[in-house]
Amino acid sequence: MELVGDKVTLNIELKGFSSDEGNLPREVLGLVSDFGLEDSVIYSSFDPQLLILVHRINPSARVGLLLPPGNLSTMVRTFFTPFVRPWSLHPHYKSVSERFIRVAKKNSQPVFTYTVNQAEVMQKMFQLGVSGIFTDVPLLAQQVREEI
């Protein structure tokens, strides 16, 4: 966090068991606060309960609901969105479509898709209008984005 500061938006994926009485979210939010980066972080998780805990600790924290690939994505989004109140949606890239983007924009939710490592897939995602991608090759993503 010292290295990037507020120069980029950080996605912090919370993993683990939500039954740990909120220790993981509390500790992570504390570290982010210590570095003064509350406005530069999105907390994401496949576990909606962890995101609910984040909101209990800091109601203004931006949370992103990670969505599993395939048909399960729609079910998770439909069922958990009212409880989690995600600021953004994080679908698998194979689940992103024009309709998905249209609905997300209608709800003022940015879409960040994962894990996109191939240039042709990056290009397609950017052309569909995603807000950003999670990738293991950020320099390639930057190059592809600049070419569009």
Side-chain angles (χ1 to χ4, degrees):
M1 285 193 261
E2 281 181 8
L3 180 64
V4 296
D6 61 358
K7 297 175 188 158
V8 298
T9 298
L10 294 173
N11 176 69
I12 298 178
E13 183 179 349
L14 301 173
K15 298 181 179 184
F17 298 102
S18 53
S19 62
D20 68 354
E21 299 175 10
N23 290 335
L24 175 64
R26 189 170 286 106
E27 290 178 23
V28 172
L29 269 75
L31 282 172
V32 169
S33 178
D34 290 347
F35 282 94
L37 297 175
E38 294 92 335
D39 295 333
S40 301
V41 170
I42 302 169
Y43 303 93
S44 66
S45 184
F46 284 103
D47 184 341
Q49 290 181 325
L50 286 173
L51 299 177
I52 291 168
L53 287 170
V54 167
H55 268 159
R56 281 189 193 148
I57 297 164
N58 180 354
S60 65
R62 295 185 300 175
V63 298
L65 182 59
L66 277 162
L67 301 168
N71 294 333
L72 194 55
S73 176
T74 302
M75 186 181 78
V76 168
R77 186 175 78 222
T78 302
F79 183 77
F80 288 110
T81 294
F83 302 104
V84 174
R85 300 179 330 271
W87 177 79
S88 59
L89 298 173
H90 303 179
H92 186 273
Y93 69 88
K94 289 183 179 178
S95 299
V96 176
S97 64
E98 288 179 10
R99 182 179 184 283
F100 188 100
I101 298 293
R102 190 172 50 252
V103 171
K105 285 185 178 183
K106 179 182 170 192
N107 294 319
S108 300
Q109 291 175 306
V111 174
F112 298 92
T113 187
Y114 69 91
T115 301
V116 185
N117 292 326
Q118 305 83 15
E120 54 280 350
V121 178
M122 290 175 183
Q123 183 177 23
K124 179 181 178 185
M125 293 298 105
F126 290 134
Q127 288 172 337
L128 282 171
V130 298
S131 305
I133 62 171
F134 301 135
T135 184
D136 298 321
V137 284
L139 293 178
L140 176 61
Q142 183 178 11
Q143 178 185 353
V144 169
R145 180 108 183 176
E146 289 171 356
E147 290 173 1
I148 294 178

